Amino acid sequence: MTRSRAQDPDVCGVTAAVAVIDGKWKTAMLWVLEGGPHRPGEIRRLLPGLTEKVLTQALREMEADGLVHREVHDVRPLKTVYSLTAFGLDLCTALAPLSDWGHRRLDRLTAGRAAATLDQQAS
C-alpha cells in the first residue's frame, strides 16, 4: 500500500487507517510508545531487528501523520524523545479490538496445530 493512500479522501476509512500503520514495525512502535515516551535508541533496543534507518523513516511518517510527537531537548548531546499524541492514543484504542481478535486467531491456530499433532501421534 502506498503512503498516498493514507491521504486519499476517496478511499474507505479502513484503507486510510491501514495505510497509516502499514509496514512491519509501526504497530510494534505504537505498542512501545503506548507505554510512555521513549528515545529512539530505547525503541530500537525494545524491538530487535529494527534498523536505525527504518526506525527514523517510520518515526518521520508517524509524526507527519500526527501519531507521534517529537521533542528535542537542548542538551549536549541532543536528546530526542518520542511520545504518542492524543490522535496516536486514539489509534491505539481503535486497534485494541483488532489486537484481541489477532490473539484469538493465534490461539485457534495453536489449538489446531496441537490437535493435528495428536492425530499424527495416534496414527
Side-chain angles (χ1 to χ4, degrees):
M1 188 174 304
T2 63
R3 291 275 311 141
S4 62
R5 301 289 305 251
Q7 298 165 359
D8 184 352
D10 296 323
V11 299
C12 79
V14 173
T15 300
V18 169
V20 171
I21 58 170
D22 192 31
K24 180 177 179 179
W25 295 104
K26 286 186 182 176
T27 53
M29 291 168 59
L30 284 169
W31 175 72
V32 166
L33 290 171
E34 193 174 17
H38 289 284
R39 297 180 68 182
E42 294 171 332
I43 297 170
R44 280 193 60 213
R45 281 190 292 281
L46 291 168
L47 300 173
L50 175 60
T51 65
E52 188 168 343
K53 177 186 174 193
V54 171
L55 172 67
T56 300
Q57 180 182 354
L59 286 170
R60 285 181 182 158
E61 289 175 2
M62 293 167 72
E63 184 179 13
D65 289 330
L67 303 178
V68 299
H69 171 72
R70 177 177 178 256
E71 187 173 340
V72 179
H73 298 272
D74 192 19
V75 294
R76 295 288 176 228
L78 285 178
K79 178 181 173 184
T80 305
V81 178
Y82 288 89
S83 59
L84 289 179
T85 63
F87 197 52
L89 287 169
D90 285 347
L91 178 59
C92 289
T93 300
L95 290 173
L98 184 60
S99 175
D100 294 341
W101 182 89
H103 285 291
R104 288 193 306 274
R105 178 185 173 273
L106 292 173
D107 289 345
R108 287 180 65 179
L109 289 172
T110 302
R113 287 185 189 127
T117 300
L118 289 175
D119 288 344
Q120 287 177 350
Q121 291 174 352
S123 299

